[in-house]
């Protein structure tokens, strides 16, 4: 059994959950400590976190450190989200905190943050049953919201919008309007973006269920107050709940809900967002499982250390997301499948040489799916356009660095490779990521060269490493004159990266 602490440095609150994790009992929460700290207002208004806020954050984290010692915590993870992520002086702030408290905070990209919340939801027993029907996960944060659509247990799309409750509260505060106008103005602020999302991604699809992740509505479900008695309710119950909140003062609502008074405006904004999304999507049921980012962090830790087994195939969700991006930009499914098989065959045959693991194999697979997405914009500048599409598109579950690796592998599949002196000055990767890009690009270039005619001649390809050669064999019945003729340049780069020469042979030749 492990004792684990998950620390969430959020936009509006600093939270820590202590868990006992075992293979027998799974995750068991034994304490939840929360401290209200308004980091988001500083960041969203000025772009920086003030000295006073850093001082307060450091003081509370020192207290959290003492609490962890009391529980004899074996390990911890501390993640910062949008308030830290969008700060101009992020590195300075994180260094100050580490020096003062001994706690090192890692900054999550938006897709990593949402993926952890998604894992927390999926760890609840009802999830797999609910997503069998059309479902939207609405993840409401301080700086933005994320809407992820599922159809028949498959992730269809995920999109981020800057409609977080703290950001919206800050914008409303600048308008100098009365509280009675809040709902009308707020509706005008959010409806156009949600309507556009529906038009682009939902189209004629049917959404029956909405799963809500937030810090406000989720915090009161199950308390049997103001009509929300269960964690799942029919969609109209949210509107009735808002009516009851509207009829009370903040002080009265806070007392009825057993919640800090300063949270009531954010609860109201969150409720309006959920209500508007449910109405636009025609949803019948809303489920608020009450999970937090800390739950996702604990699940990830237990999964990584093989204490618990996955109940849901999260890797397939990442693949499904990439497949839908490819479809959106008119990618060829047959070509991608052929390229994927060739590339993964080469990757698996080169394990002893490339030293890459399961995660890099996934990145290569995603790169094959998105290898030609840029052709939707330009057939001439295919590499650059593909890079821009991938870097501008959310791929849930990938970090910013991983997305940059995929984007560069796709880019240099179509262009001459830039070495570290050039590439390192243009993007925010380290040398390890650069070498991963080089290795995966070399494989994708060879795979692409083997399907130069787009006729899937190498769909039954085999690859065997023999000393300094990678022998790639194909059926003797196909004409590979074109592939052999244009293969040299792509094989040169592969040999440069691996010191192994790829050689094409037909089965009759190999015999």
């Amino acid at each position: 059994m492990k004792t684990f602490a998950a620390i969430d440095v959020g936009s509006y609150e600093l939270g820590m959950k202590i868990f006992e994790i075992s293979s027998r009992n799974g995750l068991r929460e034994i304490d939840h400590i929360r401290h209200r700290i308004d980091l988001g207002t500083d960041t969203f208004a000025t772009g920086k976190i003030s000295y006073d806020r850093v001082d307060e954050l450091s003081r509370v984290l020192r207290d959290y450190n003492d609490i962890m010692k009391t529980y004899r915590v074996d390990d911890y993870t501390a993640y910062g989200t949008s308030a830290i992520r969008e700060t101009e002086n992020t590195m300075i702030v994180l260094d100050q905190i580490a020096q003062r408290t001994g706690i090192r905070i890692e900054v999550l990209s938006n897709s990593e943050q949402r993926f952890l919340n998604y894992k927390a939801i999926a760890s609840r027993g009802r999830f797999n049953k609910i997503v069998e029907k059309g479902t939207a996960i609405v993840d409401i944060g301080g700086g933005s919201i994320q809407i992820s659509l599922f159809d028949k247990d498959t992730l269809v799309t995920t999109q981020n919008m800057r409609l977080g409750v703290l950001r919206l509260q800050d914008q409303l505060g600048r308008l100098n309007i009365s509280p009675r106008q809040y709902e009308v103005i707020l509706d005008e602020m959010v409806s156009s973006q949600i309507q556009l999302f529906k038009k682009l991604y939902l189209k004629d699809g049917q959404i029956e269920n909405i799963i809500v992740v937030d810090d406000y509505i989720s915090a009161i479900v199950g308390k049997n107050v103001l009509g929300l008695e269960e964690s799942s309710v029919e969609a109209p119950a949210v509107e009735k709940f808002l009516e009851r909140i509207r009829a009370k003062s903040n002080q009265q609502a806070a007392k009825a809900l057993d919640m800090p008074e300063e949270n009531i405006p954010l609860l109201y904004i969150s409720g309006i967002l959920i209500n508007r999304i449910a109405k636009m999507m025609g949803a019948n049921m809303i489920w608020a499982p009450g999970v937090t980012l800390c739950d996702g962090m604990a699940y990830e830790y237990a999964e990584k250390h093989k204490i618990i087994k996955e109940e849901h195939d999260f890797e397939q969700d990442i693949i499904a997301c990439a497949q839908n991006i490819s479809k959106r930009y008119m990618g060829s499914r047959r070509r991608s499948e052929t390229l994927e098989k060739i590339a993964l065959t080469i990757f698996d045959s080169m394990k002893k040489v490339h030293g890459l693991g399961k995660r890099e194999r996934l990145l290569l697979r995603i790169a094959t799916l998105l290898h030609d997405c840029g052709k939707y914009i330009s057939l001439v500048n295919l590499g650059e356009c593909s890079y821009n599409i991938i870097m501008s598109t959310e791929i849930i579950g990938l970090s910013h660095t991983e997305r940059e690796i995929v984007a560069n592998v796709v880019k240099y599949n179509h262009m001459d490779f830039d070495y570290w002196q050039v590439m390192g000055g243009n993007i925010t990767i380290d040398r390890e990521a650069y070498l991963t890009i080089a290795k995966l690009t070399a494989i994708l270039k060879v795979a692409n060269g083997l399907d130069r005619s787009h006729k899937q001649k190498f769909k039954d390809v085999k690859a065997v490493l023999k000393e300094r050669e990678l022998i790639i064999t194909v059926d003797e019945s196909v004409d590979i004159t074109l592939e052999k003729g244009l293969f040299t340049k792509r094989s040169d780069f592969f040999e440069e990266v691996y010191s192994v020469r790829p050689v094409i042979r037909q089965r009759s030749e190999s015999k």
Side-chain angles (χ1 to χ4, degrees), residues 7-8 15 23 37 75 116 127 154 157 258 271 291 307 315 376 422 447 454 458:
I7 301 173
D8 173 16
S23 55
I37 178 168
D75 207 349
L116 283 176
F127 174 77
T154 300
T157 190
D258 189 24
V291 297
I307 303 172
E315 185 172 300
Y376 186 84
V422 176
H454 294 204
F458 282 68

Side-chain angles (χ1 to χ4, degrees), residues 404 412 418-430 434:
E404 193 139 35
Y412 291 114
D418 285 329
Y419 295 105
W420 174 253
Q421 292 84 345
V422 176
M423 192 191 300
N426 295 329
I427 56 179
T428 57
I429 60 165
D430 58 21
Y434 164 78

Side-chain angles (χ1 to χ4, degrees), residues 158-160 201 325 328-329 385-395 400 403 407:
T158 182
Q159 294 295 322
N160 185 258
Y201 303 107
I325 295 168
R328 190 185 315 155
Y329 292 102
C385 291
S386 297
Y387 175 88
N388 290 328
I389 285 173
I390 295 167
M391 290 306 297
S392 302
T393 306
E394 196 80 53
I395 304 177
H400 180 84
R403 189 166 40 154

Side-chain angles (χ1 to χ4, degrees), residues 464-482:
V464 179
L465 183 63
K466 291 185 178 180
E467 296 180 355
R468 297 285 298 278
E469 286 188 336
L470 179 68
I471 310 300
I472 301 168
T473 57
V474 65
D475 192 83
E476 62 185 21
S477 63
V478 298
D479 182 357
I480 58 171
T481 305
L482 175 64

Side-chain angles (χ1 to χ4, degrees), residues 340-350 361 461-463:
E340 178 184 345
K341 182 170 183 182
I342 298 170
L344 295 184
T345 299
I346 295 172
F347 182 95
D348 293 341
S349 69
M350 294 283 292
R361 191 179 191 272
V461 68
K462 291 185 178 179

Side-chain angles (χ1 to χ4, degrees), residues 40 56 125 128 161 181 203 214 226 248 254 261 263 280-281 289 300 319 362-363 366 371 374 380 420 431 452 463 486:
E56 180 184 1
N128 289 330
M161 290 169 272
Q181 295 175 281
K203 297 180 181 178
D214 78 332
L226 298 183
K248 297 177 179 289
E261 186 176 335
N263 284 10
M280 283 192 173
M281 293 186 176
E300 180 189 55
I319 294 297
L362 173 64
L363 299 183
I366 295 170
H371 75 280
V380 177
W420 174 253
R431 291 177 181 271
R452 186 66 181 80
L486 300 177

